[in-house]
Amino acid sequence: MATAVELAAKRIKTLEVQGARNVAIIAIKAIEELTTKSKAQNKNKLMNELSKARDILFSSRETEPLMRNVVRQIIHEVEKSKEKEPKELATLVHQASNKFLQNLEASKKRIAEIGSKRIKSSSRILTHCHSSTVTYMFERAKKEGKQFEVICTETRPLFQGRITAQELIASDIKATMIVDSAVRFFMNKVDLVMVGADAITSEGNVVNKIGTSLIALAANEARTPFYVVSELLKFDPSTVYGDYEKIEERNPNEIWSEAPSKIEIRNPAFDITRRNFIHGIICEEGIISPHSVLEVVRKRYPWIFI
Ligand code: RUB
């Protein structure tokens, strides 16, 4: 029978659970379940189980630094603890997981509070893909009584834009769906672009759903402000030490399932938007310049660099 960790990894891989926050949350819960159900007799055995779980979760999707940061930190806390009893260590994991879940929730609220100030009643905003952080911010602005409008891209090949559109109409926010290639057509008709993030690099570049960088170029050309709405825990510390953020390449079937065999299909899931095209990163520390991101992360989350 599949373990909680294997099940979580499968749900992440198949995109049943998507978006960096949701991926991190399900991974945290799976690690917690593993330790509470573990039959490990000693700390060494528990550590083995945890490192296997980490490998399974990390290989489910490549471009998920938020998940990696929190899972790594929870395991690190177990490792450095003087406690030897697996039961006590499970309690420690439970506490650490809860702390992370609460922090993620608090960041989401703070980001919504800050970001919604950039949304006016008359605003028309373009977004791409489905970011739970972005839609939560829109819901907050709506609750504040603002009558704005959101243009959602379909987000081929897997149409996550439909999830965004459905969530928006459920919150009574006016939503318009467009194909991805219509972005330039609408760029002069929107006041702002607001997108989520999967990863933030040490240079302040942002990795998000494929197509985001093209949208940023179009926004730049049309002089439309382009904001990234994201927790700072999506920062990837390995980029400080020279690594490039890995870009997940998905199954070609998602693009064309019955394609002629001679055609090569490429299906990168994410792309990189250069910091020069980003007006600001709306995060739990405020609206910051992408240039200052490393400094802000060092202050707020020093443990991320372990
Ligand atoms: C989702 C995506 C989202 C970010 C941010 O891609 O690119 O914009 O993950 O989402 P996928 P959130 O559907 O391939 O996971 O704000 O929810 O973390």
Side-chain angles (χ1 to χ4, degrees):
M1 208 177 68
T3 64
V5 168
E6 285 162 348
L7 277 178
K10 191 169 164 218
R11 293 180 68 200
I12 295 168
K13 206 178 202 132
T14 57
L15 288 202
E16 189 191 323
V17 174
Q18 61 74 234
R21 272 180 65 84
N22 293 334
V23 164
I25 290 170
I26 186 180
I28 294 173
K29 289 183 176 163
I31 290 282
E32 191 185 350
E33 192 173 333
L34 175 143
T35 49
T36 45
K37 288 192 175 155
S38 170
K39 304 240 174 332
Q41 306 284 339
N42 56 45
K43 183 169 176 177
N44 263 352
K45 291 207 166 115
L46 185 70
M47 285 313 300
N48 278 343
E49 288 179 3
L50 281 171
S51 68
K52 273 191 199 136
R54 180 193 54 210
D55 294 347
I56 293 172
L57 289 167
F58 284 13
S59 63
S60 63
R61 290 194 80 183
E62 270 172 320
T63 320
E64 299 291 351
L66 175 60
M67 165 174 72
R68 292 201 298 271
N69 287 334
V70 293
V71 167
R72 208 186 294 117
Q73 177 62 10
I74 292 172
I75 296 178
H76 178 70
E77 287 197 21
V78 177
E79 203 168 16
K80 72 169 198 238
S81 162
K82 291 205 172 69
E83 189 53 67
K84 295 223 157 36
E85 279 304 308
K87 260 216 165 110
E88 302 301 324
L89 291 166
T91 310
L92 192 149
V93 169
H94 172 71
Q95 286 161 351
S97 306
N98 266 356
K99 199 175 88 195
F100 270 116
L101 293 172
Q102 279 165 13
N103 284 347
L104 282 175
E105 192 61 24
S107 300
K108 184 174 80 172
K109 290 197 168 129
R110 183 82 186 115
I111 291 168
E113 197 183 318
I114 297 163
S116 62
K117 290 193 193 153
R118 292 283 153 122
I119 301 174
K120 309 258 171 308
S121 246
S122 56
S123 297
R124 193 180 281 144
I125 304 150
L126 188 136
T127 191
H128 184 50
C129 196
H130 171 253
S131 154
S132 58
T133 322
V134 172
T135 50
Y136 186 81
M137 178 189 64
F138 288 152
E139 283 159 19
R140 156 107 197 201
K142 176 71 188 179
K143 281 187 190 137
E144 288 169 0
K146 295 171 186 166
Q147 295 298 328
F148 57 99
E149 188 182 326
V150 181
I151 298 193
C152 314
T153 56
E154 278 184 311
T155 319
R156 265 193 55 83
L158 292 175
F159 303 103
Q160 289 94 326
R162 292 179 185 172
I163 308 174
T164 305
Q166 275 160 344
E167 286 183 0
L168 294 177
I169 52 172
S171 302
D172 217 16
I173 297 168
K174 185 170 180 216
T176 303
M177 173 65 64
I178 61 168
V179 294
D180 300 341
S181 44
V183 161
R184 183 61 190 92
F185 184 88
F186 286 96
M187 194 50 84
N188 290 112
K189 300 175 179 63
V190 300
D191 305 293
L192 292 173
V193 178
M194 291 174 138
V195 297
D198 287 276
I200 306 173
T201 74
S202 60
E203 290 158 300
N205 302 329
V206 167
V207 179
N208 191 49
K209 176 56 56 193
I210 191 80
T212 304
S213 66
L214 265 178
I215 297 174
L217 284 176
N220 184 59
E221 191 244 349
R223 292 178 172 266
T224 304
F226 179 99
Y227 286 100
V228 171
V229 183
S230 169
E231 287 94 358
L232 287 173
L233 279 181
K234 288 176 181 167
F235 182 86
D236 186 343
S238 70
T239 58
V240 178
Y241 310 112
D243 289 333
Y244 285 108
E245 186 64 38
K246 289 204 182 76
I247 302 289
E248 174 191 0
E249 182 114 12
R250 296 185 63 84
N251 195 322
N253 285 342
E254 290 178 353
I255 292 184
W256 193 357
S257 59
E258 281 156 28
S261 59
K262 283 190 179 155
I263 290 177
E264 187 190 356
I265 296 178
R266 298 283 311 272
N267 188 14
F270 304 103
D271 64 18
I272 302 169
T273 300
R274 290 284 306 276
R275 61 184 178 186
N276 314 35
F277 298 105
I278 301 169
H279 265 65
I281 300 180
I282 305 176
C283 64
E284 61 272 42
E285 283 287 300
I287 303 187
I288 63 168
S289 154
H291 294 77
S292 67
V293 78
L294 173 59
E295 203 182 315
V296 180
V297 172
R298 268 200 208 284
K299 272 200 193 128
R300 173 105 188 195
Y301 300 112
W303 53 263
I304 222 180
F305 298 93
I306 50 162

